[in-house]
Amino acid sequence: KAGVTQTPRYLIKTRGQQVTLSCSPISGHRSVSWYQQTPGQGLQFLFEYFSETQRNKGNFPGRFSGRQFSNSRSEMNVSTLELGDSALYLCASSRTGPDTQYFGPGTRLTVL
Amino acid sequence: DAKTTQPTSMDCAEGRAANLPCNHSTISGNEYVYWYRQIHSQGPQYIIHGLKNNETNEMASLIITEDRKSSTLILPHATLRDTAVYYCIVRGIISGGYNKLIFGAGTRLAVHP
């Protein structure tokens, strides 16, 4: 069974731009969660989507948003990029609620 | 949220067992203990989880104390490829939703020849 895939793997943007990252969950998984990892803050939860609805949200500004499609694939968007948004963005999927999450390889975003 | 406490770093000789401790003294009755590891700049890899009983799979064993206030992850025969940051996470609805994992700093395990 294929794992969680994320595209692109690497991305370079400049301040003020916006970016969209994509995540394809494991087949049959309906929950997709997003995390941000930086050297200073570690791994932090961004939000979770289940059946195309945001079910849970972390403490991030409104510049960070996401959505989920009917096939469970998810995208996250960051608008008006700041230097501090440089991070590894990780996506994790699970079947439903109380189930193990499996992570993708991440997208490394660099903001110049 | 249930918090976990782990040592910052540990060393282990290749071929020996690596025992990684975790304290979670505020864990609630329906919260699970999960272990993940992250090899440099890759996505975290699921290792094992448990509620009350000890668990074993092809990667590791998880020993949970009877009062559930602490646990130990055991890698029976560590290899150089086990060098990683290991995260102990308490997960459950009381933690903010089942799929909101709260990561601490983890334990940096170095396996040396």
Side-chain angles (χ1 to χ4, degrees):
Chain A
K1 198 183 237 188
V4 178
T5 58
Q6 293 187 244
T7 56
R9 294 293 311 280
Y10 302 91
L11 203 50
I12 299 175
K13 292 285 188 180
T14 57
R15 278 181 298 175
Q17 288 187 309
Q18 75 165 19
V19 67
T20 299
L21 312 181
S22 180
C23 172
S24 292
I26 292 171
S27 177
H29 285 195
R30 295 168 61 195
S31 167
V32 173
S33 298
W34 288 89
Y35 295 81
Q36 180 198 63
Q37 186 173 29
T38 60
Q41 299 297 320
L43 262 158
Q44 293 185 290
F45 172 81
L46 277 158
F47 32 64
E48 181 210 359
Y49 284 86
F50 179 78
S51 293
E52 302 178 64
T53 301
Q54 188 180 88
R55 186 161 71 171
N56 212 339
K57 190 176 189 304
N59 189 25
F60 278 81
R63 300 185 296 107
F64 292 82
S65 62
R67 60 177 175 167
Q68 186 180 34
F69 302 95
S70 59
N71 62 358
S72 295
R73 190 177 70 85
S74 177
E75 290 180 346
M76 70 161 278
N77 184 276
V78 188
S79 62
T80 319
L81 284 166
E82 301 176 359
L83 294 179
D85 297 332
S86 294
L88 181 66
Y89 289 89
L90 294 155
C91 159
S93 77
S94 66
R95 279 183 292 195
T96 53
D99 198 7
T100 299
Q101 288 186 57
Y102 297 91
F103 284 81
T107 294
R108 171 75 60 185
L109 171 65
T110 301
V111 182
L112 303 176
Chain B
D1 293 351
K3 299 283 194 292
T4 62
T5 304
Q6 300 178 253
T8 303
S9 63
M10 294 182 67
D11 285 321
C12 179
E14 194 176 17
R16 304 295 294 268
N19 297 291
L20 290 87
C22 179
N23 285 324
H24 31 79
S25 58
T26 59
I27 193 169
S28 298
N30 62 353
E31 292 185 308
Y32 288 78
V33 179
Y34 271 75
W35 284 83
Y36 285 82
R37 72 180 183 185
Q38 187 175 27
I39 296 169
H40 182 62
S41 291
Q42 298 180 20
Q45 178 189 22
Y46 165 75
I47 301 173
I48 198 168
H49 74 280
L51 183 63
K52 294 181 189 176
N53 301 320
N54 299 338
E55 302 287 344
T56 295
N57 63 19
E58 64 279 3
M59 287 183 69
S61 294
L62 174 60
I63 309 297
I64 302 174
T65 58
E66 195 168 339
D67 63 9
R68 305 213 318 126
K69 292 184 185 300
S70 66
S71 60
T72 301
L73 177 75
I74 301 172
L75 307 178
H77 304 287
T79 70
L80 298 179
R81 285 181 293 184
D82 292 322
T83 294
V85 177
Y86 287 77
Y87 297 100
C88 168
I89 299 167
V90 169
R91 197 192 92 163
I93 199 71
I94 294 175
S95 302
Y98 282 112
N99 288 337
K100 178 183 177 182
L101 297 180
I102 299 173
F103 287 82
T107 295
R108 190 170 296 275
L109 175 69
V111 180
H112 50 84

